Amino acid sequence: MAESKDFGKQMAREAKRRRFGEASAKAFLGDGLPWNWSIWKRHFGDFTPILDFIHVLSYLFLAAKAVHEVAEDAWSQYLAWMRGAWQGEVGQVLEELRLWQAKRGEPPEDCARSRSAEDPGQDDPLPGQQSGSDEVPRVPPQGLPVTTAWMESLVKEVNYRVKGTEMFWNDPEGAEAILQVRAAALSDDERLAKHLAERPGCSFTRRPQSSKLSPEKIKG
């Protein structure tokens, strides 16, 4: 429920707690959402930025289908763009996309999604490349992950609890509390189970017992 600035701080605290900064190889993965990369720049600048390649492939495939009516031509175009993006030739791929857009014209206004600041959730399949920025996720170094599929799966696990049928969140604080509990329940360090076992008043907490009386005291 937090905005990107607050969520970025939460991520930074958790990364510090897990000592991610001490790793020999560090990567920050994200999709084209602009806020993801603002968090990276603000809190994880020394992590290698990697754009989820699956997102890139899905956009390139849709673009190839849009510019070619024949399926075989669309597939060949998609393969060429895919190889180019993977090999780091993103600038060339974007230039070809711009040429096709010039030929085809702009999409209808009712079909085009806004890229203005009023629509910060807009996905950018190749973030930063339009401006020629060097701070752009390109081909990931060998051994580092290339997709956020694990995180996408985890989001679904969270959504099972907060976006089920007949679930309405009129109180943002209540929704945030449920999100925190759900995240703790799914955490791999079992932090929720530890908290429940150690919290004050827990019926399963083993309370300290008084020392047993010695035989001498019993006889006396």
Side-chain angles (χ1 to χ4, degrees), residues 85-184:
W86 179 255
Q87 294 172 2
E89 301 170 354
V90 180
Q92 180 178 344
V93 174
L94 283 172
E95 182 60 28
E96 293 182 14
L97 288 170
R98 294 190 188 99
L99 292 175
W100 275 109
Q101 186 177 34
K103 293 179 181 179
R104 296 282 181 167
E106 295 289 339
E109 184 176 353
D110 58 345
C111 296
R113 294 186 296 177
S114 172
R115 284 186 174 274
S116 67
E118 298 177 356
D119 185 18
Q122 171 67 47
D123 247 4
D124 183 352
L126 302 171
Q129 294 287 2
Q130 290 80 348
S131 60
S133 171
D134 291 332
E135 297 179 335
V136 175
R138 296 179 184 271
V139 180
Q142 185 176 5
L144 293 178
V146 298
T147 176
T148 59
W150 294 332
M151 179 56 66
E152 301 283 354
S153 177
L154 182 59
V155 169
K156 293 180 181 178
E157 291 293 327
V158 174
N159 286 344
Y160 288 151
R161 179 61 182 86
V162 297
K163 291 186 177 180
T165 58
E166 301 180 1
M167 289 186 181
F168 304 95
W169 302 100
N170 298 323
D171 183 1
E173 293 184 0
E176 177 64 25
I178 293 297
L179 286 173
Q180 295 286 347
V181 173
R182 182 62 171 167

Side-chain angles (χ1 to χ4, degrees), residues 4 7-8 11 28-44 49-52 55 120-124 127 148 151-152:
S4 62
F7 183 65
M11 289 182 60
F28 183 98
L29 280 85
D31 56 24
L33 193 66
W35 296 123
N36 287 334
W37 303 108
S38 66
I39 292 175
W40 163 65
K41 291 180 180 179
R42 186 173 294 111
H43 300 287
F44 300 93
I50 300 177
L51 176 64
D52 186 335
H55 282 74
Q122 171 67 47
D123 247 4
D124 183 352
T148 59
M151 179 56 66
E152 301 283 354

